[in-house]
Amino acid sequence: MLRRRRGMGLLGAAAVGGVAYAAGNKYANNRNAEQDQNDQIAYLQAQQAEQARQAQMQQAPPPPPPAQAAAAPPSMDQKIAQLQELAGLKTAGVLSDEEFAAQKAKILAQ
């Protein structure tokens, strides 16, 4: 008489192999989905950084205009005219002696 084999048999091995294959596919699909999600997050972060940089560039004040040549100091005739005007204001009582002295010093220092 034939003895029956004990153990899994062909159908049992096929079932185990099918389960292992399905588990491996699920793991691979989850890894792919996770990688896709990580790529999407990285893309969105880069996009936000670019938008922040552009906003900062728009808010930054424009560079100052190039410096113009310093105004030439007043000539001696202009200084004399300013001193005469100050003397007239002092005589009229608009300026005190201290104010006159301070303005005179400022004009002569130019």
Side-chain angles (χ1 to χ4, degrees):
M1 182 149 131
L2 293 174
R3 277 184 142 185
R4 186 164 182 212
R5 285 186 174 177
R6 292 188 184 206
M8 262 194 255
L10 187 58
L11 287 176
V16 169
V19 169
Y21 176 76
N25 275 347
K26 184 163 178 79
Y27 176 75
N29 288 340
N30 285 344
R31 282 195 63 133
N32 288 340
E34 185 178 339
Q35 184 61 41
D36 290 344
Q37 187 177 19
N38 288 341
D39 291 344
Q40 187 177 14
I41 289 171
Y43 173 75
L44 291 174
Q45 286 175 340
Q47 200 173 29
Q48 285 178 342
E50 179 64 23
Q51 288 174 349
R53 187 187 64 77
Q54 287 178 355
Q56 187 179 25
M57 292 295 288
Q58 289 175 353
Q59 291 176 356
Q68 296 178 354
S75 67
M76 188 54 75
D77 291 337
Q78 290 173 331
K79 287 182 181 181
I80 291 172
Q82 287 176 340
L83 289 172
Q84 287 174 344
E85 184 180 340
L86 278 178
L89 290 173
K90 180 182 173 202
T91 303
V94 176
L95 293 177
S96 67
D97 289 338
E98 295 83 24
E99 292 171 330
F100 175 77
Q103 291 298 322
K104 178 180 162 186
K106 185 190 280 186
I107 291 172
L108 292 176
Q110 291 179 355

